[in-house]
Amino acid sequence: MPFAFLKSLNCASGRSTQITKRTRKANQKSAARRSQEVNADAQIVPGQEIPNFSTFSPDESNNFIERQFSSDEHISFWDIGNYKYTLKRCDNGYVLGDKLVDLLSERAKIEEDYSKSLKQWSKKWNGYLDKNSSEAEEAKRGWRGLLEVANQSADVHLDLCKKLINDPVQKIKDWLKLRYEKNFFNFKQTKEFENEFEIAEKSWAELCDKLKKCKKEYFDAIQTVEQSSKNLTMAESNPKYTLDQRNRLEEKAKRAKEEEEKARRLYQDTLTEMDLYKPRHISKMSEVFEKTQNFELERIIFFKQIFLKCHELLQIHNDETFEDIFDNFLQKVNLINPENDLDWWAKNFGVETRANWPSFEEPN
């Protein structure tokens, strides 16, 4: 007995030691893994910029990426949560404004570079005329006149560069700053619309959850009735079942049928409740949607004003070709009708989309 006891004690001690070793190794691996994860998080890839959140801009994050929309998506505004597309349109307004700033700034840089090129070109050939040319003085007047045109044109293009920066570009920046108050995650106005949509949709969403639950209970009740009926039929045709067993199965089938009728009534009552509430839901959601429409209307009108100002500034030549270009541009700008965009949105993503209202369904 003492020998057996010592042997079992040694075995237990050995197992304990093995367990301790495995535990220690597991802890070491876990610590090493956590250390690697921390190092990976802290690792700076060469050439990679560290985001400066103190000067946060939506363009420096992935939160505000322009989202394109198409009428081919067949999205119903009335489906739960689908107001998110309209919220994204609000965010798109900032992105589009920022892109328009880039576009006009690039155009201003082109004008500045062209002005510098004209000045350098004029200086080069005036130097040639002053030092190396064998041209006669009277003929030089033609050369000088051509170079003077370049100098004057350079001044016009440089002035256009300054006007583009000081007027439409700065105007858009100021407008974006006033219109879109931003934080790390979203714009203030978009968040306000989101909150209003959530409040407007809350009761309807609760009814939808209730309907989903009632529908499931009704479908489950039908399956229970079918299974109870099968069990009862099988028992009636099987002599092995006693009368008491058959009576219990019959009672069970009867209760299942009663539960089915109860679930059916609850399902139908919930649909009726939703039909009664639907006009109010439409009114509440449409009210918030109209606010987003007005928000977008203001943006389109502002952009139209910017385009008209660009039309005014860019007409620096009287050549017939330029007149045709800018007349065509003016016609396109004047043809901008914000109502068409708003109507298109309403038909494809708003209150005029086809609604998928709940209706009573039987299981397949």
Side-chain angles (χ1 to χ4, degrees):
M1 286 294 295
F3 177 78
F5 171 77
L6 289 174
K7 184 178 180 181
S8 63
L9 184 62
N10 289 335
C11 291
S13 176
R15 286 195 298 271
S16 176
T17 302
Q18 292 174 356
I19 292 172
T20 302
K21 289 182 179 180
R22 287 198 297 268
T23 303
R24 188 182 297 114
K25 288 182 180 180
N27 291 337
Q28 290 174 350
K29 289 182 179 180
S30 178
R33 186 165 55 250
R34 286 195 299 270
S35 177
Q36 290 174 357
E37 290 172 352
V38 171
N39 291 335
D41 291 338
Q43 184 178 7
I44 300 175
V45 180
Q48 180 180 6
E49 294 184 0
I50 302 175
N52 182 5
F53 292 104
S54 62
T55 57
F56 174 83
S57 169
D59 292 331
E60 296 170 0
S61 76
N62 291 325
N63 289 338
F64 304 111
I65 300 175
E66 183 179 1
R67 202 273 197 198
Q68 295 180 336
F69 296 97
S70 169
S71 56
D72 295 333
E73 294 183 69
H74 305 297
I75 292 169
S76 176
F77 170 78
W78 300 108
D79 289 345
I80 297 296
N82 267 7
Y83 57 78
K84 64 185 178 182
Y85 296 100
T86 295
L87 295 178
K88 189 58 186 175
R89 180 180 63 165
C90 297
D91 287 346
N92 277 0
Y94 180 90
V95 180
L96 291 169
D98 201 51
K99 293 294 185 183
L100 189 54
V101 166
D102 291 344
L103 180 148
L104 293 175
S105 297
E106 289 178 10
R107 175 59 192 266
K109 186 65 169 59
I110 291 172
E111 296 294 335
E112 181 185 24
D113 291 343
Y114 182 52
S115 174
K116 289 179 180 179
S117 296
L118 286 176
K119 289 284 188 180
Q120 291 171 357
W121 178 77
S122 176
K123 182 179 179 180
K124 170 188 172 181
W125 287 102
N126 269 313
Y128 164 75
L129 291 174
D130 291 338
K131 297 179 180 180
N132 302 321
S133 176
S134 60
E135 182 63 274
E137 289 299 321
E138 288 296 321
K140 278 186 179 180
R141 294 178 180 179
W143 291 63
R144 299 285 188 189
L146 186 60
L147 297 176
E148 183 61 25
V149 168
N151 273 323
Q152 293 174 350
S153 298
D155 293 336
V156 172
H157 285 281
L158 184 60
D159 185 57
L160 173 58
C161 168
K162 294 176 181 178
K163 287 179 178 179
L164 287 171
I165 296 298
N166 293 333
D167 197 335
V169 169
Q170 190 58 47
K171 191 173 183 180
I172 297 170
K173 288 182 177 180
D174 294 340
W175 179 81
L176 288 173
K177 187 175 181 180
L178 289 174
R179 183 177 172 87
Y180 296 91
E181 296 182 42
K182 53 184 178 291
N183 54 35
F184 289 110
F185 303 105
N186 48 41
F187 293 112
K188 179 181 177 181
Q189 188 60 57
T190 304
K191 185 61 179 177
E192 289 176 357
F193 287 144
E194 182 180 13
N195 291 338
E196 292 185 42
F197 271 125
E198 286 178 353
I199 293 172
E201 195 179 60
K202 182 179 179 181
S203 297
W204 183 259
E206 291 174 353
L207 285 172
C208 287
D209 290 340
K210 180 181 177 181
L211 179 69
K212 183 179 180 181
K213 180 182 177 182
C214 293
K215 180 179 177 180
K216 182 180 184 304
E217 289 176 353
Y218 174 59
F219 283 19
D220 290 345
I222 290 178
Q223 291 180 353
T224 302
V225 168
E226 291 176 351
Q227 187 61 45
S228 299
S229 179
K230 289 180 181 178
N231 293 339
L232 181 59
T233 302
M234 182 180 64
E236 290 175 345
S237 61
N238 191 336
K240 292 183 180 181
Y241 281 83
T242 66
L243 180 61
D244 184 56
Q245 288 176 325
R246 292 173 184 171
N247 288 338
R248 285 200 299 269
L249 288 174
E250 185 176 355
E251 182 64 26
K252 187 176 181 180
K254 182 180 178 181
R255 287 198 303 269
K257 189 62 179 179
E258 291 174 352
E259 289 297 322
E260 178 197 350
E261 289 299 324
K262 180 181 177 182
R264 180 187 181 90
R265 285 195 302 270
L266 188 58
Y267 183 19
Q268 291 175 328
D269 289 344
T270 304
L271 279 171
T272 301
E273 184 181 0
M274 294 185 75
D275 287 337
L276 292 173
Y277 184 77
K278 184 166 61 178
R280 186 179 176 188
H281 169 63
I282 292 174
S283 176
K284 290 165 68 175
M285 293 294 287
S286 297
E287 182 179 351
V288 184
F289 178 78
E290 193 60 32
K291 291 181 182 180
T292 65
Q293 288 285 76
N294 291 333
F295 190 73
E296 177 67 3
L297 174 62
E298 292 172 3
R299 183 194 69 82
I300 297 174
I301 290 175
F302 175 76
F303 274 35
K304 182 175 180 179
Q305 293 172 349
I306 293 296
F307 295 143
L308 289 172
K309 186 62 180 179
C310 291
H311 170 265
E312 174 188 336
L313 293 177
L314 293 172
Q315 290 197 72
I316 59 176
H317 302 289
N318 292 322
D319 185 83
E320 291 183 0
T321 302
F322 279 95
E323 289 180 1
D324 292 339
I325 291 173
F326 288 108
D327 286 342
N328 185 47
F329 179 36
L330 179 59
Q331 290 176 9
K332 291 180 178 179
V333 172
N334 285 330
L335 287 175
I336 294 176
N337 183 358
E339 294 299 328
N340 288 342
D341 283 339
L342 299 179
D343 291 340
W344 180 90
W345 184 268
K347 290 177 181 178
N348 292 285
F349 295 93
V351 294
E352 295 182 29
T353 53
R354 184 178 65 83
N356 300 316
W357 301 119
S359 60
F360 184 82
E361 299 177 23
E362 293 286 358
N364 294 329

